[in-house]
Amino acid sequence: MEEKTNIIKDLTIEEREEIFVDIARTLEDTAREALVEGNMQFAVLSNNMAEAIRVNADELARDDPENAERVLLEATAMISQFEAVHPYRMVSMAVH
């Protein structure tokens, strides 16, 4: 993920937008896992960030690349924080 933030200024608008959509999807997946594990606060925060990024992906990709990079760094920090606390990802979220 770090290499993506270093080259964001060199990407086209479409490629930047695709990165933001991917980050939003990853945040949504992380929120779902946190919800299943009972971490409601993190799930809500991650889901809200994902929704904000998804809604504003076009503007983030077109406007100032430095602000876009800042948003991308915040999102990756959020994902990294979850992965540090939960190093073993869930295989299934099925509830029996």
Side-chain angles (χ1 to χ4, degrees):
M1 199 63 64
E2 291 293 323
E3 64 273 358
K4 286 185 181 179
T5 60
N6 292 334
I7 61 171
I8 195 164
K9 295 174 186 172
D10 299 332
L11 298 176
T12 65
I13 293 172
E14 291 81 18
E15 291 170 332
R16 286 186 209 162
E17 190 171 357
E18 186 177 322
I19 287 174
F20 282 114
V21 170
D22 289 343
I23 288 292
R25 189 176 303 120
T26 303
L27 281 167
E28 288 169 344
D29 293 343
T30 303
R32 194 173 307 114
E33 284 187 42
L35 184 64
V36 169
E37 292 180 0
N39 191 347
M40 186 66 157
Q41 183 179 7
F42 187 86
V44 169
L45 186 61
S46 183
N47 206 22
N48 287 343
M49 183 181 268
E51 185 176 342
I53 290 173
R54 188 179 300 273
V55 167
N56 297 307
D58 183 49
E59 293 172 16
L60 286 168
R62 292 183 189 281
D63 291 342
D64 186 22
E66 289 181 16
N67 287 332
E69 186 174 341
R70 195 171 301 129
V71 169
L72 187 60
L73 287 173
E74 288 294 324
T76 55
M78 187 105 160
I79 294 165
S80 296
Q81 178 185 3
F82 183 78
E83 289 175 350
V85 175
H86 302 86
Y88 304 106
R89 305 298 289 234
M90 288 194 300
V91 177
S92 172
M93 292 183 217
V95 178
H96 298 279

